[in-house]
């Protein structure tokens, strides 16, 4: 298993700073799995967040991959900066928590053309699930109702965690009790804190963030 990070966009956070947007490709025995597809959505959303966007195909090309090489997509959640280019992968199933698809259909009808287009094939998950040998998702509600993180197990039991937006930054990850959470970090604070405690109890060897370029090493 190998994890490669994609630079998909940058956007301006509510704090006025530029935040990167990362997705990840996990390759294993010729399989390539994409975790999150980058930014898309109505122009107002892109303007609001001052998005500097890239096509996911261009980002994949840097890894000598094309969209056709991606056999399945995992969306950590269905915010516009994580599922915005799902339609590029019409050939692939989207592994999403059922609770998250329900939430997004309810709360974000303006994004439906981007995640819920005609022909979108969902593999709906109810909690922790093994996707492939050594590749699992764990349900981590709190950022959104159906948020999930991705666990990648290497040889010898070491493991990497692709944390999605369960924590935006290493600082939040290390101090979830802080009362200075970035705007939007938790839609349900008690559930979010429970999820962070659970993630920390797993003590991942490395943690990779969608909106921060540092990787935490244990
Ligand atoms: Zn995000």
């Amino acid at each position: 298993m190998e994890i490669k990070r994609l630079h998909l966009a940058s956007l301006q956070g509510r704090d006025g700073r530029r935040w990167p947007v990362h997705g990840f490709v996990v390759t294993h025995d010729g399989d390539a799995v994409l975790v999150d597809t980058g930014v898309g959505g109505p122009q107002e959303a892109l303007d609001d967040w001052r998005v500097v966007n890239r096509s996911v195909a261009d980002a994949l090309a840097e890894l000598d991959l094309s969209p056709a090489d991606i056999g399945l997509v995992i969306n950590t959640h269905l915010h516009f900066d994580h599922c915005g280019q799902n339609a590029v992968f019409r050939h692939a199933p989207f592994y999403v928590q059922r609770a998250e698809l329900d939430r997004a259909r309810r709360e974000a009808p303006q994004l439906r053309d981007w995640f819920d287009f005609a022909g979108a094939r969902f593999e709906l998950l109810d909690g922790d699930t093994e996707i492939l040998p050594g590749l699992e998702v764990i349900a981590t509600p709190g950022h959104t109702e159906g948020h999930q993180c991705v666990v990648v197990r290497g040889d010898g039991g070491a493991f990497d965690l692709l944390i999605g937006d369960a924590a935006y930054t290493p600082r939040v990850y290390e101090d979830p009790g802080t009362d200075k959470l970035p705007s939007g970090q938790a839609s349900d604070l008690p559930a979010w804190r429970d999820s962070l405690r659970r993630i920390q109890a797993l003590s991942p060897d490395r943690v990779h963030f969608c909106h921060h370029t540092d990787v935490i090493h244990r």
Side-chain angles (χ1 to χ4, degrees):
M1 292 264 190
E2 202 181 340
I3 297 168
K4 293 164 184 163
R5 181 164 60 196
L6 299 170
H7 294 266
L8 294 173
S10 74
L11 48 78
Q12 188 167 311
R14 299 289 188 219
D15 59 1
R17 293 194 203 149
R18 300 296 305 173
W19 293 52
V21 178
H22 295 301
F24 298 89
V25 176
V26 182
T27 55
H28 175 55
D29 280 351
D31 287 323
V33 173
L34 178 63
V35 179
D36 289 345
T37 63
V39 180
Q43 191 59 43
E44 306 92 85
L46 276 60
D47 292 345
D48 276 0
W49 292 89
R50 302 192 201 290
V51 173
V52 177
N53 208 5
R54 293 186 75 199
S55 91
V56 65
D58 285 352
L60 286 169
E62 284 179 354
L63 303 178
D64 288 322
L65 292 169
S66 76
D69 295 318
I70 300 297
L72 70 92
V73 173
I74 299 172
N75 290 120
T76 58
H77 62 301
L78 296 173
H79 279 165
F80 81 116
D81 51 328
H82 298 261
C83 68
Q85 295 182 52
N86 274 22
V88 172
F89 305 93
R90 288 173 180 277
H91 59 281
F94 302 103
Y95 284 67
V96 178
Q97 292 288 320
R98 186 186 309 274
E100 182 64 5
L101 184 61
D102 289 349
R103 178 204 66 76
R105 284 178 170 162
R106 206 170 56 236
E107 293 180 2
Q110 74 282 9
L111 283 181
R112 282 189 81 150
D113 289 349
W114 282 266
F115 71 83
D116 209 8
F117 46 87
R121 239 183 332 134
F122 292 104
E123 288 289 336
L124 294 177
L125 311 175
D126 296 299
D128 301 354
T129 308
E130 184 178 70
I131 309 292
L132 293 172
L135 183 70
E136 298 154 37
V137 297
I138 55 170
T140 47
H143 174 64
T144 61
E145 203 174 319
H147 187 278
Q148 59 187 356
C149 300
V150 178
V151 170
V152 182
R153 291 189 190 278
D155 299 334
F159 82 91
D160 287 81
L161 184 80
L162 310 180
I163 198 165
D165 279 358
Y168 287 148
T169 64
R171 195 149 145 201
V172 170
Y173 175 73
E174 274 154 6
D175 185 17
T178 178
D179 47 8
K180 286 194 200 149
L181 284 181
S183 164
Q185 177 65 84
S187 68
D188 176 339
L189 194 57
W192 178 79
R193 290 218 162 101
D194 283 350
S195 288
L196 257 284
R197 270 192 287 271
R198 180 178 177 217
I199 292 166
Q200 289 172 337
L202 295 171
S203 26
D205 294 292
R206 283 178 295 270
V207 181
H208 307 258
F209 297 85
C210 284
H211 295 300
H212 203 281
T213 21
D214 290 353
V215 178
I216 292 186
H217 294 255
R218 184 154 63 102

